[in-house]
Amino acid sequence: MSLDPTSRGPDTGDGHAVVIGSGFAGLTAARALVDHMDRVTVIERDRLPRGPRWRPGVSQSRHTHTLTDTGLRALEQLFPGVTGELVAAGMSLVRVPRDVLLYGPGGWLPRFDSGLSVLTGSRDVLDTVVRNRLHADRKVRFLQQHEVVGLEGGRNDTVTGVVLRRAGDDTGPTGVRRLLRAEFVVDASGYASATPQWLRELGYEPPRESVVDAGASYATAVYAPPVGHVDDWKGLLLTATPDNPRHGALTPLAGGKWMVSYAENGAAHAPSGHADFLLALGRLRHPLLREVVESATPLGPVYRSNRTENRWRRYEWTRRLPDQFAVMGDALAVFHPVHGQGLTVAAQCAVLLDAMLRSHGSTVGVAYRLRHALARQVAGAWRAATATDLAFPCAVADVDPPGPAARLARRYLDRVALAASVDRAAATATLEVAHLRAGPAVFLRPRVVAAAVRGGRPAAFDAPSTTHGRGVRRRRPPLTTAPSVGASTAAPPRSRVPGSSPTHLSGR
Ligand SMILES: Cc1cc2nc3c(=O)[nH]c(=O)nc-3n(C[C@H](O)[C@H](O)[C@H](O)COP(=O)(O)OP(=O)(O)OC[C@H]3O[C@@H](n4cnc5c(N)ncnc54)[C@H](O)[C@@H]3O)c2cc1C
């Protein structure tokens, strides 16, 4: 284990590090820095809640968040034993596809032990458990309700600190700002990172960006399953295809609740309100998710998100950038949420940061090396996400259009995806790539090639193996009014959604 919390003595590191943002990327980066620096200050604009509560800086936490097997391994490397804590706090480990009804392009996947699982549950719980581990470290300090507004440039192309102010103090240049000096700065401020602008202010060129945007809308709601609901699965996933660009997922939450998400590529508006949400679920490639949800009880509003594009800020392409500075997490690259990759890439990048600092220290030149290493780390996830999204005619991209070789590869991968529903080797390869466990070379395994040559069958409307029974009773409507908060779309809870009926999944 490279990250050994017992191996470090007091003040044996390289000085002070600042991390901008205490989202998942900021927390994991801070953990990596702790072993190499004397002190780490995490600056966060929000007031941090004591427990797992929603906050504006991570507004997407109201939506489904899964952490892949690969991401969980990286997180364990950073915080040994954290998986047990996360499960004790209410998150679930779901074996894929053993515990999941997964409807791919060729139909339902066989439910076998692939050796892969995902961590599912509340994103707020995930961040809280990880944050508490850092709170317990005396080298780490959280500076809440403070906002970084600029980088401090030093001699010889270095960053020597950050300029910050109290959050909400937007009294302009005359407002009270102070300089916090640091020997190393990580920007993990998320999707809306201001680093491109801060670099411009210091006389550097901002990075170019690669963008692949499937133009998706995204919506999520939480439900209580019907009373007496019995099933032999924990999650449900219906994937989109170019013919029907709608994606649906059900994942377990603590207390037996369900979180249900719907995404539609090329759709300007996400469903708002439960009736609309149910109608949208009815347009998925298979009716199962709608049938399951219409017998469940909504526990809150339908939340929407329009942050769905893949966007990669190409710092590795920029010739001159300051040293002792790195950009990580969504501030570096964001992915279409249906791929569930952002958290995994953040954890992988933090492990990489640890390895780089271990090899090179935070000395001159490390930022250049790190920038290129981070780009190589992001590239695998980027390829997997964008190759899928570019298959949708609605996708808009500022990357080069696929050439003949890429189009041929796409046709081959389509055959593998179809075969995944009838062949375990094809299913395993597809899942390993989706979980960032393996690169595309796994598609060339002889058994996968053979499966692709044999091909799959067209997706059918057959029911998967499930013990979800007939005649389930509905849960009584909740007595309390459902919350309606934040900027997300809120709809009143309904005791019964229009057109709802008991589910008869096993009898289909
Ligand atoms: C709808 C949706 C669903 C998703 N589902 C999944 C999923 O299933 N699996 C998955 O892996 N990923 C998923 N993602 C992606 C995932 O949410 C992100 O990859 C992840 O949150 C990135 O973490 P981060 O720390 O980089 O950014 P964030 O989590 O956005 O955190 C950024 C932090 O920086 C703070 N901050 C911002 N600016 C400043 C400043 N100037 N000064 C101080 N603090 C600042 C913010 O308050 C915030 O706390 C989803 C995303 C969306 C939108």
Side-chain angles (χ1 to χ4, degrees):
M1 180 73 57
S2 62
L3 287 142
D4 178 3
T6 60
S7 69
R8 55 179 198 261
D11 295 353
T12 53
D14 288 347
H16 180 215
V18 159
V19 177
I20 309 169
S22 71
F24 190 77
L27 297 173
T28 49
R31 173 63 192 93
L33 287 162
V34 156
D35 281 354
H36 309 283
M37 310 297 292
D38 297 321
R39 291 182 298 127
V40 179
T41 304
V42 182
I43 303 173
E44 171 53 51
R45 181 158 47 202
D46 281 351
R47 179 157 189 234
L48 292 171
R50 279 186 192 280
R53 300 264 301 277
W54 180 88
R55 62 187 179 86
V58 187
S59 59
Q60 72 271 29
S61 73
R62 284 175 167 144
H63 296 275
T64 299
H65 270 80
T66 57
L67 180 63
T68 67
D69 197 69
T70 311
L72 193 55
R73 280 164 193 245
L75 192 64
E76 266 292 328
Q77 227 177 312
L78 296 162
F79 299 96
V82 75
T83 308
E85 281 178 50
L86 289 164
V87 170
M91 299 197 76
S92 304
L93 273 175
V94 177
R95 295 169 299 173
V96 183
R98 163 67 73 202
D99 300 332
V100 180
L101 306 182
L102 204 165
Y103 196 66
W108 297 106
L109 257 66
R111 292 172 64 189
F112 64 100
D113 280 318
S114 67
L116 295 167
S117 36
V118 287
L119 185 79
T120 70
S122 152
R123 165 72 192 272
D124 296 331
V125 170
L126 174 65
D127 282 15
T128 302
V129 168
V130 173
R131 197 167 62 234
N132 286 345
R133 288 285 285 259
L134 281 178
H135 271 305
D137 195 311
R138 61 173 186 79
K139 281 185 163 187
V140 181
R141 179 171 74 118
F142 283 84
L143 193 54
Q144 306 178 39
Q145 294 178 284
H146 280 78
E147 178 181 36
V148 172
V149 292
L151 298 171
E152 179 72 3
R155 276 182 299 168
N156 304 323
D157 282 336
T158 50
V159 165
T160 55
V162 296
V163 181
L164 53 92
R165 66 181 180 194
R166 283 199 72 83
D169 177 8
D170 48 6
T171 46
T174 54
V176 181
R177 291 160 183 238
R178 70 182 169 102
L179 172 65
L180 187 63
R181 291 210 175 276
E183 279 68 43
F184 201 85
V185 174
V186 171
D187 175 18
S189 61
Y191 168 81
S193 158
T195 285
Q197 180 200 325
W198 296 337
L199 288 174
R200 208 179 282 120
E201 286 164 7
L202 292 179
Y204 298 97
E205 259 183 45
R208 280 184 282 155
E209 294 186 346
S210 300
V211 181
V212 174
D213 186 0
S217 63
Y218 198 99
T220 299
V222 174
Y223 293 87
V227 172
H229 172 89
V230 183
D231 53 54
D232 71 347
W233 46 264
K234 292 183 181 170
L236 224 160
L237 180 64
L238 308 181
T239 62
T241 59
D243 292 341
N244 185 344
R246 301 174 180 92
H247 171 107
L250 180 156
T251 52
L253 282 182
K257 290 179 248 169
W258 289 336
M259 185 173 257
V260 179
S261 287
Y262 170 86
E264 182 173 346
N265 290 342
H269 302 292
S272 59
H274 283 282
D276 212 13
F277 192 64
L278 207 57
L279 276 176
L281 295 182
R283 291 194 287 266
L284 288 162
R285 290 175 48 238
H286 194 284
L288 181 60
L289 184 55
R290 178 188 54 77
E291 291 175 358
V292 167
V293 169
E294 72 184 355
S295 67
T297 303
L299 293 178
V302 175
Y303 292 106
R304 300 194 285 177
S305 172
N306 56 4
R307 282 175 37 190
T308 55
E309 87 271 26
N310 304 282
R311 181 181 297 272
W312 183 1
R313 297 191 174 107
R314 310 304 297 257
Y315 288 101
E316 83 281 12
W317 286 350
T318 309
R319 225 174 283 153
R320 189 179 145 250
L321 280 178
D323 208 350
Q324 282 142 339
F325 174 64
V327 182
M328 296 173 67
D330 278 14
L332 176 61
V334 285
F335 303 93
H336 190 330
V338 296
H339 303 302
Q341 292 178 331
L343 299 173
T344 296
V345 172
Q348 287 179 314
C349 287
V351 170
L352 189 65
L353 172 64
D354 169 63
M356 293 298 282
L357 293 177
R358 197 165 294 279
S359 309
H360 305 288
S362 60
T363 51
V364 179
V366 71
Y368 174 86
R369 286 197 181 94
L370 185 58
R371 214 155 48 232
H372 287 268
L374 290 173
R376 284 193 293 277
Q377 186 70 65
V378 166
W382 178 263
R383 266 196 309 269
T386 57
T388 306
D389 292 352
L390 283 169
F392 290 85
C394 56
V396 178
D398 73 347
V399 294
D400 292 337
R407 285 201 299 274
L408 197 64
R410 181 71 258 159
R411 280 215 290 279
Y412 173 70
L413 293 181
D414 287 346
R415 287 189 72 85
V416 176
L418 275 180
S421 294
V422 288
D423 183 278
R424 288 185 182 198
T428 303
T430 305
L431 291 169
E432 283 180 353
V433 171
H435 283 237
L436 305 178
R437 167 80 74 86
V442 293
F443 291 126
L444 298 177
R445 286 174 185 156
R447 288 184 53 204
V448 180
V449 175
V453 170
R454 282 195 303 275
R457 60 183 167 84
F461 266 19
D462 53 342
S465 153
T466 165
T467 58
H468 188 82
R470 285 172 176 274
V472 286
R473 280 176 291 139
R474 280 185 56 76
R475 183 183 283 267
R476 261 179 295 145
L479 296 174
T480 51
T481 310
S484 166
V485 278
S488 301
T489 302
R494 303 177 68 104
S495 59
R496 187 176 178 85
V497 278
S500 66
S501 61
T503 52
H504 300 288
L505 304 181
S506 57
R508 288 188 60 78

